[in-house]
Amino acid sequence: MENQALTLANVPESRTLVVNGTKVAPSLSAGADWRQVLAYFILRMNVKESSKELYKRTLTQYFLWIEETGRNLANITDIDIEEYKSYLMTERRLSALTTGSYLIAVRKFYKFAEARKLYPNVATEVKTPKKKNTFKKMYLHEAEISSLLDYYKERSLRDFAIVNLILRTGLRTIEVVRADIGDLDIQDGKRVLRVWGKGHDEKDDIVVLTDKAYLPIKEYIDTFRKGAKGNDPLFVSSSNRVQGERLCTKTISCLCKEGLKAIGL
């Protein structure tokens, strides 16, 4: 029961808990260790577990920065928060969008802390940086798409099937990674792929697969994945170290970038 209760946001605040090895006292004070405060904050959040992990990860970076710079959590001011924002953008060179997500977590924490009289809300006036409307990406022209696919045809059946699928359906890397063989289906007479999209909890969307999108996948499965089951990943690693395991988004991203560089983009 103890472990089960850790994920609930409505646990009585008078109860002492242990969260990921950190003891959370019935009441916290401004002098509490930041790990204890963070564990208490995460426990009380009424959000999905994936969101809790995101807040935990970003706020850990904030508290470590406080610790590493010799600051005292109890004496933080809005000036310190501004300096943290500057640190994220200049020293860590995070984008405005990523920096903004870090600051949102900080603001949520201080709103929570003020409501429980732990710390004053010193983050209310700190603004997230504006995203610059600069040109960064451009769609591929037909000739470039043809060159890119030609490159992968000479490389491997798997890589060609992956890039071809992305080009023809617009799927994100995470959606390709999450796809299983059993997600290939027929609906209303059309070949489809069930999709687990970013931010979703299940495979509640589909993309229609034309023959040009589907046939390279079929050839890859027939050649290298005979005997694979429906819950097996659609695409797997071929490296010796993790052979047969599900690919990660970084692998697919690197794969795509390699092809773009190879054709001069």
Side-chain angles (χ1 to χ4, degrees):
M1 290 297 294
E2 187 73 9
N3 289 335
Q4 184 180 10
L6 298 184
T7 62
L8 303 178
N10 59 353
V11 175
E13 298 206 18
S14 59
R15 182 179 174 188
T16 302
L17 295 173
V18 176
V19 182
N20 295 330
T22 300
K23 188 175 181 180
V24 180
S27 61
L28 295 175
S29 65
D33 181 80
W34 67 262
R35 294 168 183 81
Q36 189 179 58
V37 176
L38 176 59
Y40 190 83
F41 169 67
I42 298 299
L43 174 67
R44 293 289 162 192
M45 296 189 75
N46 189 20
V47 296
K48 295 187 299 184
E49 288 303 311
S50 58
S51 297
K52 286 187 177 184
E53 285 300 316
L54 177 61
Y55 282 116
K56 180 181 177 181
R57 186 167 64 251
T58 55
L59 283 172
T60 295
Q61 296 301 312
Y62 169 64
F63 290 126
L64 287 175
W65 174 80
I66 290 176
E67 193 172 75
E68 291 168 0
T69 56
R71 289 172 166 82
N72 188 324
L73 184 59
N75 299 325
I76 294 295
T77 68
D78 58 333
I79 296 176
D80 294 299
I81 307 295
E82 289 288 355
E83 290 185 10
Y84 177 62
K85 179 171 72 172
S86 177
Y87 158 78
L88 292 174
M89 299 192 71
T90 57
E91 292 191 38
R92 292 198 57 189
R93 297 185 178 182
L94 299 183
S95 67
L97 184 63
T98 304
T99 299
S101 69
Y102 275 60
L103 293 177
I104 287 172
V106 171
R107 284 205 294 263
K108 283 185 179 292
F109 166 73
Y110 277 107
K111 183 179 180 180
F112 167 89
E114 185 176 60
R116 285 161 176 76
K117 299 181 180 180
L118 291 172
Y119 310 105
N121 191 347
V122 296
T124 53
E125 300 300 321
V126 178
K127 306 297 182 184
T128 55
K130 292 184 179 181
K131 184 179 179 181
K132 296 180 180 180
N133 293 321
T134 54
F135 180 82
K136 291 186 178 181
K137 297 181 181 179
M138 190 172 77
Y139 64 86
L140 296 178
H141 295 287
E142 186 174 343
E144 292 168 336
I145 293 174
S146 179
S147 296
L148 190 62
L149 291 178
D150 286 342
Y151 169 78
Y152 287 106
K153 279 182 181 178
E154 301 297 325
R155 181 185 172 95
S156 74
L157 289 178
R158 186 203 66 178
D159 296 352
F160 176 75
I162 290 173
V163 176
N164 180 67
L165 176 64
I166 292 173
L167 284 170
R168 297 188 186 280
T169 62
L171 288 177
R172 296 170 180 262
T173 55
I174 185 62
E175 294 165 341
V176 176
V177 166
R178 289 171 171 172
D180 295 330
I181 288 180
D183 293 329
L184 294 168
D185 199 4
I186 300 291
Q187 293 188 14
D188 299 325
K190 297 179 180 179
R191 176 77 61 181
V192 301
L193 176 69
R194 289 191 293 272
V195 176
W196 182 357
K198 182 179 179 181
H200 291 232
D201 295 320
E202 57 183 345
K203 295 176 180 179
D204 55 2
D205 200 1
I206 63 169
V207 292
V208 176
L209 299 180
T210 63
D211 285 347
K212 289 184 177 181
Y214 170 68
L215 290 178
I217 298 174
K218 183 178 184 301
E219 185 179 5
Y220 161 66
I221 294 174
D222 290 344
T223 305
F224 295 107
R225 307 290 305 287
K226 289 181 179 179
K229 300 177 182 179
N231 60 351
D232 289 338
L234 183 57
F235 299 107
V236 297
S237 173
S238 58
S239 69
N240 293 330
R241 187 169 59 86
V242 288
Q243 188 170 18
E245 295 185 11
R246 189 181 298 272
L247 295 176
C248 64
T249 56
K250 184 178 180 181
T251 298
I252 296 181
S253 179
C254 290
L255 172 69
C256 294
K257 289 177 181 177
E258 179 183 325
L260 291 171
K261 288 181 180 179
I263 66 170
L265 298 179

